[in-house]
């Protein structure tokens, strides 16, 4: 489903798995080429060391590459299924304050995905993310592997119950 940047921002802000972990979408920009997310430390996501629970940091990074690529490919006329195939995280410094990350999708990334969808029918690639604290210090790095399938190439959509 094609959705506006503002609508998706508000849907994601109040999506329970993100909302209750204090994961807040600040903005989607440039026709879904960019997304900025804030992870606020609170009693709901603080571990016994006083830093943000690692699972919260990991969860915060999960949906955003898939959401951006889904919206970008749909706007280019593709009927796609997109999800995060795998991810890995490296914690470098405790998140003792609010954390932030921004994802940017370049023209080259879009062109590479489009070419693969037109020829092979699927696209799989890992992209890095950097999570920083309010002072700009790097707290974690993440590699998210995105999987995009062109449904026009023989796969029929299934409904899960």
């Amino acid at each position: 489903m094609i959705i506006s940047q503002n609508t998706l921002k508000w849907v994601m802000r109040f999506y329970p798995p993100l909302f209750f972990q204090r994961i807040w979408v600040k903005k989607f920009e440039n026709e879904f080429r960019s997304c900025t997310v804030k992870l606020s430390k609170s009693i709901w996501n603080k571990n016994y060391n006083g830093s943000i629970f690692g699972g919260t940091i990991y969860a915060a990074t999960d949906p955003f590459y898939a959401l951006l690529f889904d919206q970008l490919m749909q706007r280019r006329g593709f009927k796609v299924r997109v999800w995060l195939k795998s991810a890995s995280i490296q914690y470098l410094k405790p998140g003792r304050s609010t954390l932030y990350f921004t994802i940017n999708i370049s023209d080259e990334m879009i062109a590479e995905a489009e070419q693969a969808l037109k020829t092979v029918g699927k696209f799989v690639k890992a992209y890095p993310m950097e999570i920083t604290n309010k002072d700009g210090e790097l707290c974690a790095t993440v590699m998210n592997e995105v999987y995009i399938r062109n449904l026009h190439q023989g796969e029929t959509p299934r409904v899960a119950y």
Side-chain angles (χ1 to χ4, degrees):
M1 167 176 44
I2 294 178
I3 191 168
S4 76
Q5 292 179 138
N6 194 49
T7 300
L8 186 57
K9 174 184 75 176
W10 284 101
V11 166
M12 296 304 291
R13 282 180 173 181
F14 292 107
Y15 181 54
L18 302 181
F19 179 78
F20 289 111
Q21 293 188 69
R22 303 305 187 249
I23 300 164
W24 191 255
V25 177
K26 289 183 71 177
K27 58 187 170 185
F28 287 103
E29 291 185 297
N30 304 323
E31 299 297 318
F32 288 102
R33 290 173 183 253
S34 178
C35 176
T36 302
V37 177
K38 177 175 94 170
L39 232 152
S40 299
K41 185 174 110 176
S42 77
I43 192 168
W44 304 110
N45 64 14
K46 185 171 66 169
N47 65 23
Y48 69 94
N49 289 319
S51 61
I52 296 175
F53 178 62
T56 298
I57 298 169
Y58 196 75
T61 66
D62 183 278
F64 296 103
Y65 268 113
L67 285 171
L68 293 174
F69 271 109
D70 180 64
Q71 290 299 310
L72 288 166
M73 293 299 110
Q74 285 189 66
R75 284 171 166 70
R76 284 163 176 71
F78 289 95
K79 182 178 177 186
V80 293
R81 180 169 297 140
V82 184
W83 68 84
L84 181 68
K85 185 175 180 185
S86 69
S88 64
I89 190 165
Q90 187 172 27
Y91 302 103
L92 305 171
K93 184 175 184 156
R96 298 197 189 282
S97 65
T98 299
L99 300 178
Y100 302 89
F101 66 88
T102 299
I103 297 172
N104 292 298
I105 307 287
S106 68
D107 289 336
E108 293 78 26
M109 292 162 72
I110 296 167
E112 185 179 18
E114 276 188 272
Q115 181 62 28
L117 292 175
K118 289 176 183 174
T119 57
V120 182
K122 70 178 181 178
F123 176 73
V124 181
K125 186 160 184 179
Y127 295 105
M129 300 170 73
E130 293 185 340
I131 294 123
T132 58
N133 63 18
K134 64 181 182 181
D135 298 324
E137 299 169 318
L138 188 61
C139 293
T141 58
V142 181
M143 285 298 288
N144 279 356
E145 186 177 33
V146 178
Y147 178 96
I148 307 171
R149 165 76 63 185
N150 184 351
L151 296 180
H152 287 304
Q153 295 222 342
E155 183 178 318
T156 56
R158 292 181 295 270
V159 177
Y161 291 103

